[in-house]
Amino acid sequence: MPMRHNPVFAGAFSRELWQQVSRRLLGKIIEEFAYERIFDVQKEKPSHYRIDIGGTAYRFKAKRYVFDNLSVDPDGIVMTKEGIDTPLHDPLAFCAEVLPELGVKPMTIAHFIKELGNTLVSDAHIAARATKTGAELAGQDDIRLEGETTGHPWVTVSKGRIGLGYSDYLAYTPENQTPTEVLWLAVSKDRASFIAEQDLTNEGLVRDAVGEARLEAFRATLADHGGSAATHHMMPVHPWQWDHMIVSHFAADIAAGHIVLLGYGDDQYLPQQSVRTLSNISHPEKSTLKLCMTILNTAVYRGIPGKRALTAAPLTTWLDELLGRDRFLSGECRLVLLGERAGMHYVHPQFSTIDGAPYQLNEMLGCLWRDSLAGHLKPGESGVPLAALLHAGTDGKPVAQALAEKAGISVPEWLALFFDIVIPPVFHLLAKHGLAFSAHGQNATLIVKDGRPERLALRDFIDDVILCDEEFPESASLPEEVRSVLLCLPADFLIHFIQTTLFICVFRYMSVLLDQRSGVSESAFWALARESVLRYQKRFPDMASRFSTFDLFGDEYPRLCLNRVRLFTHGYADDDERPVPDFQGMVDNPLVAFERHSDAA
Ligand SMILES: Nc1ncnc2c1ncn2[C@@H]1O[C@H](COP(=O)(O)OP(=O)(O)OP(=O)(O)O)[C@@H](O)[C@H]1O
Ligand SMILES: [Mg+2]
């Protein structure tokens, strides 16, 4: 609930901390803009680089890595203008100065700076709250670790969250770890649809979520409004969404009794990294709830498209069958798929009739019931979101190193196990079944036991799984209603879900961190990844033609860009379709680069 006096969290606004997080964000902007070729970087001498933009030079120290990515030393970025050197720390001022020179439209620059500002506020809160060592982080459960991460590692406006006010920020974002209750609505069957797996009912799911007594109270409230189970379904809604979107944009439906506010459930939830998906901390084994929050965060407004909400359950049923019949995935990998067991969508009476209306307006009221990780864990197991492996504790120790120490093995030994747990199932789903899962740091969770990598859990299916457009007999049984909703793309695009989503969006950052903090060189890191891929491929000699369709061993592959989408190709357009990634040149393939040039690093 919004607070009356809106006090700020003072720790986040100390001058010293502010400058420190500012410098880090400025360093990240230089790293990621250079990576995406948004500007050119010249090497002046070993470890010293320079960017020239509009008569101004920016100098910094950095180390260059295999994707031609830089790791910038944030303490010592200097601007030289008209012969005067000025130390630089403000990422907003830097963008205001350089983006016009790079041809970015003024409207885009202004909105980008707004998103950067929110990101920086968030970075300052994260830094001010950081107290845990690497070992302490490694000891947290998956739900708490979701709140210890720092957002998308590659997107510079990683925590833009346009739409959240400051009290919302404190109440609803993962890093603040403020427990929240979920609001429940009754929604008329004239407008709302509910589709679940067989044997699951709306009433049963609500009972599981809120308990019999609360359900009884909800039924009584609904009856007071003239409704019943015959006329209405019940659904969870994020309190922020109710307050900011539903009351005003669905007011007539509230007045007409199509939407009835039932009240809060009793269980407490914490937000996951995606902000809008909530984990139940009162009963961690209960479903997580993926809800709509019409905030613009990283790439898109975080709603749920109706077709997808209503196809989640049949896709889950089919994926569970696939898992059951694929003995490698279920028996050897013991892969966990966090099923999306039911979905709901409420049609907006006007926006839904406007062809070409912004997609955000048609995705405001819906939800998914998703398996929690806790419901799948065996005794002694715990979950570590891959995103947490990009981080170190306050003692500088990376979470991966702390896990290795807990397991009593070296970091390279731990990495070899890690790659064997993470790469084979994701690659197998692609090469064997033609299904690309988006295993980025927020969608994939490593399951460990005593620090040792054991298995992998994947989530986010109906929104993120993509089909290969070639014929895959293994996936022929996919129901047509599901096939027609999933995106279907060529093999050479889907290989990016390994090469970009996993290698560039997760491993790129892990390898830099482990090179700098744990003494694992980049070439050693990628050699272990390469060996893991080769071990997997050797295990399936009959899949040779699939491994050439999804070839992981070419010399180079296209450089996919995310920041460019915001700055150049999509900006802040309020379109009917979600933006698509951009490409710029090629990157060296780290699985072969070190073999070819042993001195590439
Ligand atoms: N390390 C990370 N990698 C990718 N995304 C991250 C990371 N940390 C935070 N995020 C956030 O998580 C979300 C990832 O997008 P994605 O589409 O997978 O999730 P979603 O569909 O909104 O929710 P969910 O994954 O809970 O179903 C974005 O909001 C992004 O900002
Ligand atoms: Mg996700």
Side-chain angles (χ1 to χ4, degrees), residues 440 442-443 460 464:
H440 57 56
Q442 181 269 339
N443 280 343
D460 213 350
D464 272 358

Side-chain angles (χ1 to χ4, degrees), residues 54-73:
T56 305
Y58 301 88
R59 290 195 175 80
F60 51 91
K61 286 209 276 183
K63 182 169 176 182
R64 198 185 280 278
Y65 288 88
V66 65
F67 294 112
D68 204 16
N69 52 311
L70 295 170
S71 172
V72 170
D73 176 0

Side-chain angles (χ1 to χ4, degrees), residues 146 149-155 157-161 174 272-278 288-291 295 297-303 340 368 370 386-388 390-391 438 440-443 459-461 463-464 505-506 578:
E146 296 265 340
T149 54
T150 58
H152 204 294
W154 175 355
V155 173
V157 285
S158 62
K159 296 171 291 289
R161 296 148 176 187
Q272 299 185 349
Q273 297 166 73
S274 61
V275 186
R276 45 71 159 270
T277 301
L278 304 180
T288 56
L289 299 174
K290 179 166 178 170
L291 305 175
I295 55 172
N297 196 36
T298 56
V300 295
Y301 286 93
R302 300 281 156 185
E340 295 167 348
L368 292 178
R370 177 184 287 160
L386 293 197
L390 317 183
H391 295 294
S438 183
H440 57 56
Q442 181 269 339
N443 280 343
R459 67 178 172 221
D460 213 350
F461 305 146
D463 261 347
D464 272 358
C505 195
V506 182
R578 291 170 146 69

Side-chain angles (χ1 to χ4, degrees), residues 138-269:
Q140 297 282 295
D141 66 22
D142 62 295
I143 298 178
R144 273 29 179 231
L145 273 176
E146 296 265 340
E148 297 286 349
T149 54
T150 58
H152 204 294
W154 175 355
V155 173
T156 48
V157 285
S158 62
K159 296 171 291 289
R161 296 148 176 187
I162 296 290
L164 292 191
Y166 183 66
S167 55
D168 303 323
Y169 166 74
L170 292 177
Y172 300 130
T173 54
E175 62 269 24
N176 287 298
Q177 304 209 22
T178 312
T180 186
E181 283 101 33
V182 169
L183 268 179
W184 291 82
L185 307 179
V187 284
S188 121
K189 292 181 182 177
D190 291 346
R191 299 260 205 269
S193 308
F194 166 86
I195 295 192
E197 289 195 285
Q198 223 182 351
D199 302 333
L200 293 178
T201 61
N202 180 254
E203 193 178 74
L205 286 166
V206 179
R207 181 183 294 109
D208 288 348
V210 304
E212 185 61 45
R214 182 62 58 188
L215 175 61
E216 201 46 56
F218 285 173
R219 280 202 203 102
T221 306
L222 177 57
D224 289 346
H225 287 78
S228 70
T231 58
H232 287 68
H233 297 297
M234 291 183 191
M235 73 185 294
V237 64
H238 195 288
W240 184 91
Q241 188 73 356
W242 169 257
D243 205 20
H244 289 79
M245 298 292 151
I246 308 302
V247 174
S248 41
H249 300 309
F250 293 81
D253 280 9
I254 297 171
H258 286 302
I259 297 177
V260 179
L261 179 63
L262 300 174
Y264 285 98
D266 303 293
D267 286 357
Q268 296 204 307
Y269 290 78

Side-chain angles (χ1 to χ4, degrees), residues 103 122 174 304 576:
S122 168
I304 304 179
D576 56 340

